[in-house]
Amino acid sequence: MNILFVHFLQVNTPVPRDIPIPLPLPEWLLVVLLVFSFLLHIVFVNLMLGGSIVTLWAEIKGLKNKFYDTLAYEVARTITVNKSLAVVLGVAPLLSINALYTIYFYSANALTGIMWILIIPLVAIAFLLTYLHKYTWHSMERFKILHIGIIALSVLLFLFIPLIFLVNINLMLFPEKWSSIHGFISALFLPNVFPRYFHFLFASLAVTGLFLFWYVGRKNYPFETIFPNNYTRYDVKKIAYSLTLGASVAQFLIGPIVLISLPSKGFGWGLLSIILLGASLALIAMWWIWKALSGPKEAINKRFGGIVVLMTITVLFMGSGRHVYRANALNPHRELMAIKTAEFEKLSANARLNVNKDEASQLSDNALSPVEKGAALFKTNCSICHQKDTKLVGPPITEMVSIYKNNISGLEQWIKAPGKKRPDYPQMPTLSQLSDADRENLAKYILSVQ
Amino acid sequence: MDFPMFHLDWLNDRFLIAMIAIIHVLINHGIAVGFVPYITWLEQKGVKNSKPDEITNLQWDAVAEKMMKVAFIITTTVGAMTGVGIWFSAALVSPASIGSLIRVFYWAWFTEWTIFVTEVVLIMVYYLTWKNANRSLQAKLKHIRFGWYLSVFSWFTMAIIVAILGFMMDPGNWNTHHSFINGFTNPIYLPQLLFRTPTAMIVAGTFGYFLVFIFTKRGSDLRTKTISTTAKWVLFWTPLSILGAIYYYKAMPAAMRDNMSTAVGTIEFQQYYNLLKYIILGATASVLLIALLGVIKPSKIRWYMVVFPTVMAFGFLGIFERVREFIRKPYVIGGYMYSNLLRKEDYPLYQRDGILKYATYTSTPEVTESNKIEAGKNVFMLSCSRCHTTQGINSITYVFERMYGSFNKPLDESAMAAYIPNMHNGRTFMPPFPGNQKEAEALAAYIKFLQQSHETLDGAQTSGVVINPLNNMDAAIQQKLAAHTNDTIKTAQK
């Protein structure tokens, strides 16, 4: 096993030290928190992205058919709520990944720094656009194309932002690549970024389909007063299910590409079985959706609960698989990092010990005269600005002597509370670390200089 | 040391955090913590002042609803994102400190998060159900109650965050015990909270004036009434804010004195501290003046008259944040980690062997005659770049030129090399120089080179990283095998 990972991790790999503070929780608990809170977050991200794509599509189709326009408005109204939940639910997984993978995550962030921090304004702008789109729905009815342009712009932003996150999540797994990265673009083209991106994209559409199915099917949803009267809930539900089914089929094409393009270092039988198990559950759900779509109108709601449960389990499996890969890929490196950190802590402790010994031996040296003590104090506290007979930052010693020749307490007072006398010199800072005795010794030394 | 160094060489790394944080604080205090109770109060007044056969005064209620809409949109977009942005920017600029804090304060932040989730859900419920609540008096009263709940939750998020801020400033306690409770018992916790609460209310009120101007017609009775109501709100909170500010102002030097090596007497602190007095006076006086006019002659108020007090109120909050940040120096985590992200306890090792040797990313593991400038650049990146740039804001060349008064003369390399290792004695807000003598010389050479060449320095986000051969995989494997051999020998000896 050792030989294997040494072989895979190249020599051009940094091994930094870890933060030398224990994790706040047992590692397994942090992992559970990370996986669950992340899935909760990503579902709302899916709904935000999927919802805005559906809105854009329906609003364009709505130019010809009022039904689609109504559908677009109904979906648009959910985006702003889902996006708020997506952001706020993102904090917990962010906190957990920061604690668990501090070195890896922050290193990836720094290497793609400009784009990483641009997430903040880009998301804020995208959110403002979704509000603009929602709240100008009626007032811009006569400028439909412009109105569609607003949601199109926010869809573009929503499509781009996940790519930044994915680049970081991907880059953190490969310390061996860090020295070859020069900014976001070069990290973008590491293998596996784009396959994972499309995997996420289609997941968003699939989840949004299920959400839409539930949303219009709710008992207290006044469908009949909202939509044109020749349409029924069935029409929307059919669109919703078709979206989920179509996106899921696409997942079966992209999924294998994601697997193949994953660098082999995190691979294992465990990972493969988790993913295949998740995929097979999704197949059952897809079959049920197909039956509902092709069956009679009245039966479309049959098995909706079961489909949601199966899809949720699939998502849990995929989320866990994702973590298993990350753990497999990074554990050998983490092990080396832990050894390195422990060795450094020992070195640092030794160096500390020796300094303390030196200081102790200096302190025991009581034989020094006041002038000698003052000279030592002058060297560490004053010599950076004052020299014997030339101006450095402040005036030279010779000048001090000429001013305070017969006034040692005046000099001590000045050191205690320095002021600003000369226009062409900066003010002297207060040296609050000095004691009265220090100042006395210092003054004695200064006035002893010939 | 252990992270690729993100660096903004013109803007200054700290400025990035400050910019995001200030926007967030203004939105959080002014448009959430202070604004929600203000709007709820307005909504309640609408019900009180309605005719017996109405649920509420609909005109009045519509103004309050529109004002809340603006707050709702801003807080859930820019407000929320700048909150996340503080994390993002801190992780970029100060990964070692934020990484350490998360390991200790995980639960504090987790708790904060659950309260934050509640706050966001409540704000959505409060705003999105506003129009529906106007159906019946019962629903309206319930909605108003919701507003008060939301006010309490927003205030709680602030109360917890202030404790986290307080902990970072509490010197010594990191090294003794990592208890979050210390954040609350910190000497400036209560002063901060008592200052922030009424000041948030004032900022909300001044923001409210503007919205009233937008959503009411000039000369209308509605405008006069909403203006005078807002003025009363501001008038009520101003004395409390003044008291809070004085309390906080007085508590600051004590907090700073505790910060072991940082001197209250430094010129830099004194400058801020003096400025603070004038800002307290100027801000509260102008806010008070407009509020008085608003109560006595509300029809005389125009939007431009409110600009100055609003800017002053924003500045009022902002300058306290600046001074609070300054008190922390030279530490980023009191007594434990300096603002250059190096741990105090590792200093003896770095000063003995040099800092470059232990850096994960450096092109020069050691200073030699031929690599002096390059090594100086690496030393600068590792030990100065968190606060200084090369030619931009707070640039290293500028601070030396200012100190030596040599704006037109070349800097003296040997004077700088002698100054750097001792600088913390005179400039107590600066962390001590972490490297050895050779590294100080290389740094001085680099600073002089910067002054002469006007070169700039790219961060890892553009130029990437070079791995120190002493800290690559090869070296780590050697270390592992050595540790393994040692263990085997020890077991054999037993």
Side-chain angles (χ1 to χ4, degrees):
Chain A
M1 184 61 205
N2 276 351
I3 295 166
L4 261 181
F5 78 71
V6 169
H7 177 73
F8 284 132
L9 298 175
Q10 295 144 22
V11 178
N12 208 13
T13 307
V15 181
R17 285 172 270 130
D18 200 359
I19 304 264
I21 300 171
L23 288 177
L25 295 173
E27 193 175 329
W28 65 266
L29 190 55
L30 270 176
V31 168
V32 171
L33 280 172
L34 173 62
V35 171
F36 275 94
S37 64
F38 175 74
L39 289 177
L40 208 55
H41 159 68
I42 207 70
V43 164
F44 285 97
V45 173
N46 287 336
L47 292 178
M48 169 183 99
L49 172 63
S52 59
I53 294 173
V54 170
T55 303
L56 177 62
W57 166 79
E59 199 177 351
I60 294 173
K61 255 182 108 83
L63 291 172
K64 289 202 176 126
N65 181 343
K66 182 78 178 114
F67 162 71
Y68 287 102
D69 191 64
T70 310
L71 178 64
Y73 185 54
E74 287 305 294
V75 180
R77 288 174 22 152
T78 67
I79 303 171
T80 48
V81 173
N82 287 331
K83 70 103 183 80
S84 284
L85 292 171
V87 169
V88 68
L89 291 173
V91 174
L94 182 69
L95 202 59
S96 303
I97 202 165
N98 283 2
L100 262 173
Y101 293 105
T102 318
I103 294 285
Y104 304 95
F105 195 64
Y106 289 168
S107 297
N109 294 170
L111 288 169
T112 59
I114 297 291
M115 207 49 99
W116 180 248
I117 198 69
L118 275 180
I119 286 176
I120 303 303
L122 288 179
V123 174
I125 292 168
F127 284 3
L128 286 167
L129 286 172
T130 59
Y131 278 122
L132 185 68
H133 179 255
K134 173 171 144 182
Y135 288 126
T136 57
W137 191 278
H138 300 296
S139 58
M140 283 184 75
E141 223 132 51
R142 288 172 48 228
F143 312 97
K144 212 58 184 171
I145 299 297
L146 198 62
H147 192 248
I148 289 172
I150 298 172
I151 190 72
L153 200 57
S154 71
V155 166
L156 279 181
L157 287 172
F158 280 143
L159 281 174
F160 178 64
I161 293 155
L163 207 50
I164 311 178
F165 279 101
L166 256 174
V167 161
N168 270 268
I169 288 296
N170 187 61
L171 182 58
M172 70 175 270
L173 298 177
F174 309 113
E176 64 272 24
K177 304 277 187 206
W178 292 351
S179 65
S180 68
I181 297 300
H182 294 85
F184 174 75
I185 299 293
S186 60
L188 180 64
F189 290 104
L190 287 181
N192 203 242
V193 173
F194 281 103
R196 280 180 75 171
Y197 176 70
F198 286 109
H199 201 49
F200 157 80
L201 210 61
F202 284 103
S204 295
L205 293 174
V207 172
T208 304
L210 289 182
F211 170 77
L212 191 58
F213 191 100
W214 166 80
Y215 190 78
V216 297
R218 287 171 308 148
K219 276 212 187 80
N220 58 356
Y221 182 71
F223 187 91
E224 290 72 20
T225 60
I226 296 169
F227 281 86
N229 44 23
N230 48 338
Y231 287 90
T232 63
R233 289 176 201 246
Y234 177 80
D235 296 297
V236 180
K237 284 183 174 176
K238 206 175 142 190
I239 294 173
Y241 258 174
S242 310
L243 182 64
T244 302
L245 188 59
S248 304
V249 170
Q251 291 294 55
F252 274 86
L253 301 175
I254 294 163
I257 303 179
V258 173
L259 270 183
I260 291 164
S261 66
L262 269 179
S264 50
K265 76 171 184 174
F267 242 91
W269 289 113
L271 174 72
L272 206 60
S273 35
I274 290 172
I275 287 176
L276 291 181
L277 206 59
S280 54
L281 289 176
L283 273 180
I284 302 173
M286 285 159 69
W287 174 247
W288 286 348
I289 294 179
W290 170 244
K291 293 288 276 182
L293 274 174
S294 55
K297 272 190 181 186
E298 315 80 65
I300 194 161
N301 291 329
K302 220 176 137 194
R303 294 224 166 107
F304 177 67
I307 291 166
V308 171
V309 169
L310 280 187
M311 286 292 200
T312 307
I313 300 175
T314 303
V315 169
L316 272 176
F317 270 100
M318 295 300 171
S320 313
R322 198 167 171 270
H323 184 78
V324 169
Y325 180 81
R326 177 153 58 209
N328 285 350
L330 287 180
N331 278 350
H333 190 267
R334 290 174 87 199
E335 192 194 325
L336 285 177
M337 193 165 75
I339 294 169
K340 177 128 198 168
T341 311
E343 288 295 318
F344 178 83
E345 290 297 295
K346 271 190 227 158
L347 275 177
S348 177
N350 272 334
R352 247 182 338 264
L353 213 63
N354 290 335
V355 167
N356 290 343
K357 273 186 206 152
D358 289 350
E359 274 174 5
S361 64
Q362 266 177 13
L363 279 179
S364 63
D365 203 354
N366 280 328
L368 290 179
S369 72
V371 170
E372 281 168 322
K373 280 182 190 162
L377 286 167
F378 189 89
K379 190 162 181 292
T380 51
N381 293 296
C382 320
S383 63
I384 50 177
C385 296
H386 302 282
Q387 282 180 343
K388 195 183 166 204
D389 39 24
T390 52
K391 178 205 166 188
L392 192 56
V393 175
I397 300 180
T398 46
E399 230 178 285
M400 301 175 199
V401 175
S402 68
I403 299 171
Y404 292 105
K405 189 91 205 168
N406 297 309
N407 182 12
I408 186 162
S409 63
L411 180 54
E412 281 172 44
Q413 195 49 44
W414 173 267
I415 302 170
K416 190 171 183 180
K420 182 172 164 69
K421 279 191 211 165
R422 314 156 203 240
D424 50 337
Y425 285 69
Q427 181 178 349
M428 179 172 145
T430 311
L431 305 164
S432 55
Q433 67 274 28
L434 299 180
S435 65
D436 284 341
D438 287 339
R439 277 189 286 271
E440 195 183 331
N441 292 335
L442 202 48
K444 278 184 182 155
Y445 162 73
I446 291 171
L447 296 183
S448 75
V449 173
Q450 300 284 312
Chain B
M1 274 306 253
D2 307 301
F3 299 91
M5 297 293 247
F6 173 86
H7 179 59
L8 294 174
D9 201 40
W10 187 84
L11 188 65
N12 192 317
D13 295 322
R14 246 155 235 284
F15 204 80
L16 178 73
I17 304 183
M19 214 165 58
I20 296 173
I22 284 283
I23 297 175
H24 184 70
V25 167
L26 288 179
I27 291 178
N28 170 279
H29 286 21
I31 310 180
V33 175
F35 203 75
V36 177
Y38 161 66
I39 289 294
T40 312
W41 185 62
L42 286 184
E43 190 188 6
Q44 199 167 336
K45 271 195 155 322
V47 175
K48 266 191 195 149
N49 298 339
S50 61
K51 293 183 191 125
D53 57 334
E54 293 173 332
I55 290 167
T56 180
N57 179 340
L58 282 177
Q59 263 191 320
W60 175 281
D61 192 68
V63 174
E65 191 262 349
K66 280 181 195 156
M67 289 165 78
M68 188 59 211
K69 184 179 188 172
V70 175
F72 172 70
I73 291 177
I74 296 179
T75 47
T76 57
T77 55
V78 185
M81 286 319 292
T82 45
V84 180
I86 296 177
W87 286 92
F88 273 45
S89 57
L92 280 178
V93 172
S94 297
S97 74
I98 197 82
S100 305
L101 287 168
I102 285 178
R103 297 221 173 175
V104 173
F105 289 135
Y106 185 83
W107 279 121
W109 267 313
F110 203 87
T111 314
E112 162 82 16
W113 172 69
T114 57
I115 293 178
F116 181 46
V117 173
T118 319
E119 190 190 343
V120 169
V121 171
L122 282 177
I123 201 171
M124 287 197 292
V125 171
Y126 181 61
Y127 175 67
L128 297 173
T129 61
W130 189 303
K131 283 181 177 160
N132 265 341
N134 284 354
R135 283 170 298 132
S136 70
L137 184 62
Q138 211 180 0
K140 189 67 177 167
L141 292 179
K142 198 176 155 194
H143 187 254
I144 292 171
R145 255 200 314 277
F146 242 117
W148 292 122
Y149 294 148
L150 173 58
S151 308
V152 171
F153 265 95
S154 313
W155 186 82
F156 267 129
T157 52
M158 179 177 82
I160 293 186
I161 278 292
V162 171
I164 293 177
L165 285 176
F167 184 94
M168 290 193 279
M169 327 243 323
D170 195 352
N173 99 38
W174 177 278
N175 293 323
T176 46
H177 44 101
H178 293 164
S179 160
F180 179 53
I181 300 302
N182 290 0
F184 292 100
T185 56
N186 176 285
I188 61 168
Y189 179 73
L190 208 57
Q192 272 207 71
L193 201 61
L194 292 180
F195 164 71
R196 283 173 195 267
T197 308
T199 311
M201 306 295 172
I202 292 180
V203 175
T206 55
F207 185 64
Y209 288 129
F210 284 106
L211 295 181
V212 168
F213 285 119
I214 295 171
F215 296 129
T216 59
K217 283 209 184 78
R218 186 170 173 178
S220 67
D221 189 38
L222 190 60
R223 175 175 287 191
T224 319
K225 275 190 188 146
T226 36
I227 288 284
S228 83
T229 308
T230 304
K232 277 180 203 151
W233 171 268
V234 174
L235 208 56
F236 174 79
W237 291 105
T238 310
L240 295 173
S241 168
I242 296 174
L243 288 178
I246 294 172
Y247 184 22
Y248 191 6
Y249 178 78
K250 293 234 157 118
M252 269 178 172
M256 191 151 179
R257 245 192 308 275
D258 291 341
N259 224 348
M260 295 180 300
S261 69
T262 314
V264 188
T266 59
I267 315 158
E268 287 76 9
F269 178 71
Q270 211 56 49
Q271 277 169 353
Y272 281 121
Y273 200 60
N274 289 336
L275 186 64
L276 208 53
K277 248 188 301 201
Y278 296 113
I279 295 214
I280 294 177
L281 276 174
T284 53
S286 64
V287 166
L288 211 54
L289 213 65
I290 285 293
L292 279 172
L293 184 65
V295 171
I296 301 163
K297 280 244 174 267
S299 57
K300 288 271 179 268
I301 298 220
R302 298 283 175 272
W303 69 268
Y304 49 83
M305 296 179 196
V306 189
V307 173
F308 183 70
T310 305
V311 172
M312 286 305 276
F314 280 10
F316 191 35
L317 260 179
I319 191 82
F320 267 98
E321 300 293 331
R322 182 68 189 85
V323 178
R324 187 183 51 70
E325 270 301 302
F326 193 85
I327 294 179
R328 201 141 55 121
K329 290 181 179 186
Y331 292 108
V332 64
I333 301 174
Y336 176 72
M337 186 180 279
Y338 286 117
S339 39
N340 54 20
L341 307 185
L342 302 172
R343 292 194 309 173
K344 188 183 180 189
E345 60 192 87
D346 296 332
Y347 259 62
L349 182 67
Y350 295 150
Q351 287 174 333
R352 187 189 74 195
D353 297 349
I355 185 176
L356 291 173
K357 184 175 169 189
Y358 297 102
T360 308
Y361 307 102
T362 173
S363 54
T364 55
E366 207 184 341
V367 182
T368 62
E369 240 350 275
S370 58
N371 74 11
K372 209 168 177 184
I373 302 282
E374 175 79 11
K377 182 171 104 176
N378 289 324
V379 172
F380 176 84
M381 192 56 123
L382 290 165
S383 38
C384 321
S385 68
R386 297 306 87 197
C387 309
H388 294 285
T389 63
T390 58
Q391 317 285 348
I393 295 174
N394 198 22
S395 82
I396 195 76
T397 44
Y398 171 76
V399 292
F400 271 106
E401 283 172 341
R402 187 186 53 185
M403 187 175 79
Y404 290 120
S406 63
F407 284 103
N408 302 312
K409 288 179 284 177
L411 288 164
D412 182 340
E413 211 179 301
S414 60
M416 285 193 292
Y419 173 79
I420 288 167
N422 292 307
M423 118 199 105
H424 58 286
N425 291 325
R427 318 257 151 185
T428 42
F429 53 89
M430 292 287 294
F433 177 65
N436 59 19
Q437 189 55 40
K438 267 185 149 177
E439 288 172 341
E441 283 162 19
L443 178 59
Y446 175 62
I447 294 170
K448 186 177 180 188
F449 168 78
L450 283 177
Q451 188 206 24
Q452 297 304 316
S453 67
H454 291 274
E455 260 199 32
T456 55
L457 176 64
D458 282 337
Q461 76 276 18
T462 37
S463 65
V465 286
V466 179
I467 296 160
N468 182 349
L470 299 174
N471 294 306
N472 68 8
M473 177 66 77
D474 239 2
I477 290 169
Q478 297 304 327
Q479 206 162 25
K480 181 186 172 178
L481 295 178
H484 185 70
T485 324
N486 280 345
D487 286 348
T488 335
I489 293 171
K490 270 181 205 155
T491 345
Q493 279 170 348
K494 273 177 197 166

